[in-house]
DNA sequence: TATCAACACGAAACCGTTTTCGTAACCTTT
DNA sequence: AAAGGTTACGAAAACGGTTTCGTGTTGATA
């Protein structure tokens, strides 16, 4: 087991000072040709690599980005993460991921831990509990310390920072317009039980489209489901009670599960009933029928978030730019669950 | 923007020395009661938190774990990651994730970067390219430096380190036995084009079960597909050419795609043809029919990997324990694609 | 009253870098 | 030969902690 080589080791071996070694390795003009060559040859031979931690301490920048997301086993977050990782890596940054597991406390603990020097900036999406509690003190602490923060998807107006979001309301509006164009009248909305800004926005778009078309928004056409462990019976009851000919779901799991239920009940998709979901993940592509869905362009979202963050990190303090909110346009990917 | 408080700040403010502050904060007996209380009160009031980087430099341990995986938008890796993250977090470690994107170079660059002090140990799964190149010099470098390494799932015998793997051969064997028990004779294997140790093991189990049953292993019953962007035509041809009544797929995507194809061709699942896949992800649960699949218990795998790694990290050097290979037993989850 | 331990604290080294500044030694110039 | 300018390098501070060791003050003991 060979221990890591340090500048000190090289200095001792070559009988020069540490500073000389350091300068020689960076081709400083201060150092003579012979010495420089000697040092570089030695360093190369023994594969010297500077210690990242020491560099971080000295430079006060870690080249690490902290990513805090509610869940990792989740297609959308996964794709966003991929975008973040790709862009960050390109720019020489590493990514530390913490999963809040939709819990406020974990989110707080994780951010506070990372904020103590481990990272140069944060990219986050709020946990369900944080959104419902409306407690953002941990984020305030971060920004007050001057640590750059970018929020994506699950954001909140109470937090002032850069943001990347989907045009949720608008794209939900368009989805419903699509149903309306297909002469659907009884359009249901299936959304999450817990409070998510995105669900709210999507509901707004849904309602706006209906109202615009002169169709009343009916309470019995809205089903709220728990985020996990959905009970099929609830769906069955819902579809038995109300006559529904189109369904907008705020995620793809709800959609796929509902499609299975209504098919068991004897309805034909998309003839009797149409479906549009959100996410455009694996399930949408391989479900039966395939699901028409709103692509959220997670990877691009991640890239942009990373780009915004790194720009903040690398911009000199003093030239404060105003915070931006970047809006990604969703795309409706037409598949078998709608008539196109 | 309030700058981070340091020991020096507190020392200056309270007119004591830095060392006194440091000791007082750790309740050292060396320090008098009054001073200790004064310091702690001040630290609490101004929310002092030690700088992680400084601690890392001093302690020569970062409390970071490096995770290098081929892909993150991939159910199995995602679940393993969740296990790693959970356990690590519990033990006070953070996780730095790098995605090799199945590319050798990215894997090498990422590991070398992290190895320079950023992390205390690695958990990795080899990229496709690394497995086919059989070049493990970067892993050797890591272990030679005394950095603990745990490999999971995509492992190789040429690398000596702790490992966590599935009983791939055995569970594939059992899957085929299940087909045989259902009187299936024409059992196909659908596997990956590129070389993966796991695919090979699964193929071995497949063959062993057939041979044991006195059924010849037929070349035309094996289909190899590219890891991404599978062409449906290839599947269609395969199923037209050979009479197949059961299919073992090394992942769930292949299985779900094949099920769609054979259904389009008019076959009934599971009556005419049965399917078993690997992974037990979202697709298996929500496909039509639902897919009988080998649960790989990724989360548990991740937890165990993290446990092994952290034990190595925290064990004193000197008391070298031999390397272990932990074998996770897969479970066949019976669903609609087999007759049970 | 001289001695000595206990107490409470500070100085300084250390982790591995970078960077500023100081300075010998040599070279050039007049 | 004195003055000034290069050249090539080393010492030391700094980043923010921890820890070892030294030391002045106090109180107890002989």
């Amino acid at each position: 087991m060979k221990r890591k080589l340090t500048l000190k080791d090289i200095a001792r071996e070559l009988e020069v000072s540490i500073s000389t070694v350091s300068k020689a390795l960076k081709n400083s003009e201060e150092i003579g040709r012979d010495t420089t060559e000697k040092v570089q040859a030695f360093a190369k031979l023994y594969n010297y690599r500077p210690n990242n931690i020491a560099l971080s301490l000295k430079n006060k920048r870690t080249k690490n980005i902290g990513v805090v997301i509610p869940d990792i086993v989740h297609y959308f977050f996964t794709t966003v993460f991929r975008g973040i990782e790709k862009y960050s890596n390109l720019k020489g940054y590493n990514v530390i991921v913490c999963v809040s597991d939709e819990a406020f406390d974990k989110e707080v603990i994780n951010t506070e831990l990372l904020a103590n020097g481990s990272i140069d900036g944060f990219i986050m999406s709020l946990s369900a509990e944080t959104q419902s509690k409306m407690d953002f003190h941990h984020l305030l602490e971060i920004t007050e310390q001057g640590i750059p923060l970018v929020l994506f998807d699950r954001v909140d107006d109470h937090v002032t920072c850069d943001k990347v979001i989907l045009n949720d309301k608008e794209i939900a509006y368009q989805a419903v317009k699509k149903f309306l164009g297909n002469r659907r009248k009884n359009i249901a909305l299936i959304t999450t039980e817990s409070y998510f800004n995105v669900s709210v926005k999507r509901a707004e778009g849904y309602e706006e489209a209906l109202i615009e078309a002169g169709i009343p928004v009916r309470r019995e056409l809205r089903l709220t489901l728990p985020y996990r462990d959905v009970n099929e019976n609830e769906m069955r009851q819902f579809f038995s009670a109300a006559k529904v000919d189109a369904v907008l779901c705020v995620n793809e799991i709800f959609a796929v599960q509902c499609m299975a239920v209504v098919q068991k009940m004897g309805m034909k998709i998309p003839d009797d009933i149409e479906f549009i979901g959100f996410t455009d993940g694996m399930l949408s592509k391989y479900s039966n029928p395939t699901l028409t869905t709103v692509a959220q362009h997670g990877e691009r979202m991640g890239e942009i978030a990373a780009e915004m963050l790194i720009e903040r990190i690398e911009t000199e303090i003093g030239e404060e730019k105003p915070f931006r909110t970047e809006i990604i346009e969703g795309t409706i990917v037409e598949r078998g669950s709608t008539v196109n």
Side-chain angles (χ1 to χ4, degrees), chain A:
Chain A
M1 181 179 129
K2 22 181 197 184
R3 220 176 45 80
K4 261 280 171 190
L5 205 62
T6 70
L7 288 187
K8 196 193 279 190
D9 299 327
I10 302 183
R12 189 180 346 97
E13 214 63 33
L14 263 40
E15 296 183 305
V16 292
S17 78
I18 295 179
S19 28
T20 300
V21 177
S22 174
K23 291 169 190 164
L25 288 175
K26 338 193 69 117
N27 288 308
S28 162
E29 308 219 323
E30 268 185 87
I31 306 301
R33 264 193 53 140
D34 299 2
T35 315
T36 300
E37 280 176 11
K38 189 175 59 174
V39 169
Q40 292 192 353
F42 189 93
K44 179 155 194 184
L45 179 61
Y46 290 101
N47 197 29
Y48 168 79
R49 294 273 177 275
N51 180 307
N52 290 334
I53 298 294
L55 286 179
S56 296
L57 183 59
K58 181 68 186 164
N59 301 335
K60 293 182 158 253
R61 49 214 314 293
T62 61
K63 285 271 182 179
N64 284 157
I65 286 178
V67 172
V68 183
I69 50 182
D71 190 1
I72 184 76
V73 187
H74 185 299
Y75 185 83
F76 172 65
F77 289 125
T78 295
T79 54
V80 175
F81 177 78
R82 171 149 73 182
I84 295 174
E85 206 265 349
K86 253 188 193 159
Y87 188 85
S88 304
N89 234 267
L90 207 68
K91 294 290 182 178
Y93 286 77
N94 279 318
V95 180
I96 300 185
V97 195
C98 290
V99 178
S100 68
D101 221 356
E102 301 288 6
F104 177 73
D105 289 344
K106 273 199 78 178
E107 189 176 294
V108 173
I109 290 174
N110 282 324
T111 53
E112 290 187 345
L113 193 68
L114 291 181
N116 296 321
S118 299
I119 51 91
D120 296 338
F122 278 107
I123 297 178
M124 297 183 53
S125 195
L126 301 176
S127 79
E129 204 184 342
T130 306
Q131 289 218 319
S132 53
K133 268 180 116 105
M134 302 255 284
D135 183 345
F136 310 113
H137 77 273
H138 52 306
L139 303 181
L140 195 64
E141 267 178 38
I142 287 173
T143 50
E144 269 185 353
Q145 282 178 41
I147 302 178
L149 165 68
V150 177
L151 245 38
F152 74 89
D153 196 61
R154 308 246 204 105
V155 306
D156 192 289
D157 287 342
H158 293 88
V159 186
T160 50
C161 64
D162 289 318
K163 290 164 191 160
V164 190
I165 54 176
L166 193 76
N167 61 341
D168 283 293
K169 179 175 172 182
E170 175 63 22
I171 196 74
Y173 172 89
Q174 286 177 28
V176 174
K177 287 289 259 186
K178 182 172 169 60
F179 286 146
L180 293 168
N182 291 343
R183 312 244 165 268
R184 304 292 173 174
K185 302 281 183 223
N186 305 298
I187 304 172
L189 174 69
I190 302 194
T191 183
T192 52
E193 211 170 67
S194 29
Y195 174 85
F196 291 119
N197 62 315
V198 289
S199 303
V200 172
K201 290 284 175 201
R202 291 168 197 174
E204 284 173 15
Y206 160 84
E207 292 185 2
E208 191 169 301
L210 290 183
I211 291 169
E212 198 181 287
I215 297 177
V217 177
R218 287 185 287 148
R219 184 67 214 158
E220 69 270 23
L221 284 182
R222 180 179 305 206
L223 175 62
T224 64
L225 294 175
Y227 191 58
R228 286 172 183 144
D229 306 320
V230 173
N231 181 353
E232 267 199 16
N233 277 336
E234 232 179 313
M235 295 183 184
R236 190 176 286 272
Q237 282 178 359
F238 176 77
F239 286 106
S240 314
K243 196 184 72 185
V244 177
D245 56 15
V247 186
L248 178 65
C249 298
V250 298
N251 60 47
E252 64 174 3
I253 294 203
F254 287 175
V256 171
Q257 288 182 302
C258 287
M259 290 203 300
V261 167
V262 302
Q263 281 176 316
K264 273 186 214 157
M265 292 170 69
M267 300 194 223
K268 293 282 170 238
I269 307 172
D271 298 336
D272 301 339
I273 184 168
E274 291 186 274
F275 278 88
I276 297 182
F278 272 74
T279 299
D280 192 31
M282 291 291 155
L283 291 179
S284 307
K285 292 188 193 74
Y286 298 112
S287 63
N288 185 283
T290 54
L291 179 66
T292 294
T293 182
V294 174
Q296 292 174 266
H297 306 297
E299 190 159 343
R300 205 171 132 54
M301 221 156 145
E303 278 172 23
I304 290 182
E307 189 186 333
M308 290 170 90
L309 184 71
I310 292 176
E311 196 186 316
R312 281 270 173 219
I313 290 174
E314 297 187 344
T315 192
E316 301 308 316
I317 42 175
E319 40 165 325
E320 313 289 327
K321 290 172 192 149
F323 292 119
R324 285 161 47 205
T325 293
E326 191 85 21
I327 297 174
I328 307 287
E329 307 224 332
T331 312
I332 297 182
V333 181
E334 298 191 345
R335 297 211 183 81
S337 65
T338 50
V339 305
N340 302 311

